[in-house]
């Protein structure tokens, strides 16, 4: 009897450790992924921002003109945008389905809403 109880206890502990590891890995990968990938729209609906793995396409609603930029994301807090060979750094603030992109050079942040297609 004692041996069965010991085996059950070891199995329970192993299951708890395994579940903790799986949940930890899921949370780690969710937090470390690029949160910007997808389509975003500016608050004034004048621009559509489409983020891929490392490119950003900005489409202007009134002229349907597009601009293509390279970007990288650092710790889901800093956006580094490559414009004409120069790098520009922007701070990102994440709030639910909105993000605010700002820099020291701008007066107010650009607020973007996620667009679901």
């Amino acid at each position: 009897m004692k041996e069965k109880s010991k085996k059950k206890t070891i199995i329970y502990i192993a299951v708890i450790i395994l579940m903790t590891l799986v949940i930890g890995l899921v949370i780690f990968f969710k937090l470390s992924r690029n949160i910007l990938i997808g389509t975003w729209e500016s608050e004034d609906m004048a621009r559509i921002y489409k983020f891929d793995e490392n490119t950003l396409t900005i489409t202007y609603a009134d002229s349907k003109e597009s601009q293509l930029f390279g970007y990288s994301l650092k710790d889901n807090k800093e956006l580094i945008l490559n414009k004409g060979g120069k790098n520009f750094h922007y701070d990102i603030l994440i709030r639910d389905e909105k993000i605010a992109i700002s820099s020291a050079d701008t007066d107010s942040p650009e607020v973007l809403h996620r667009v679901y297609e």
Side-chain angles (χ1 to χ4, degrees):
M1 257 324 187
K2 218 175 193 185
E3 233 175 83
K4 273 189 173 180
S5 176
K6 218 177 209 183
K7 284 183 181 179
K8 277 185 177 180
T9 305
I10 291 172
I11 289 173
Y12 288 141
I13 291 172
V15 167
I16 289 172
I17 290 172
L18 183 64
M19 287 178 60
T20 305
L21 286 173
V22 169
I23 291 171
L25 284 173
V26 168
I27 290 171
F28 173 76
F29 286 118
K30 284 277 191 184
L31 292 176
S32 65
R33 71 181 176 93
N34 186 343
I35 53 135
L36 293 178
I37 292 178
T39 305
W40 298 81
E41 185 175 44
S42 64
E43 197 169 47
D44 60 1
M45 297 181 176
R47 291 165 301 289
I48 301 282
Y49 293 76
K50 183 168 182 167
F51 289 91
D52 292 328
E53 284 296 324
N54 57 1
T55 58
L56 164 63
T57 306
I58 301 175
T59 305
Y60 298 93
D62 56 351
S63 66
K64 303 294 182 203
E65 186 179 311
S66 295
Q67 291 181 321
L68 184 66
F69 302 101
Y71 82 93
S72 62
L73 189 61
K74 187 176 179 183
D75 299 329
N76 283 337
K77 293 181 181 180
E78 184 179 11
L79 174 69
I80 303 167
L81 199 61
N82 186 325
K83 294 181 185 179
K86 293 183 180 178
N87 288 336
F88 295 89
H89 297 264
Y90 297 92
D91 296 320
I92 297 176
L93 178 63
I94 304 163
R95 298 284 170 127
D96 299 325
E97 293 297 311
K98 295 180 186 180
I99 58 172
I101 300 173
S102 62
S103 72
D105 302 334
T106 58
D107 293 338
S108 61
E110 176 81 48
V111 178
L112 306 177
H113 304 273
R114 185 169 294 276
V115 175
Y116 294 100
E117 299 169 351

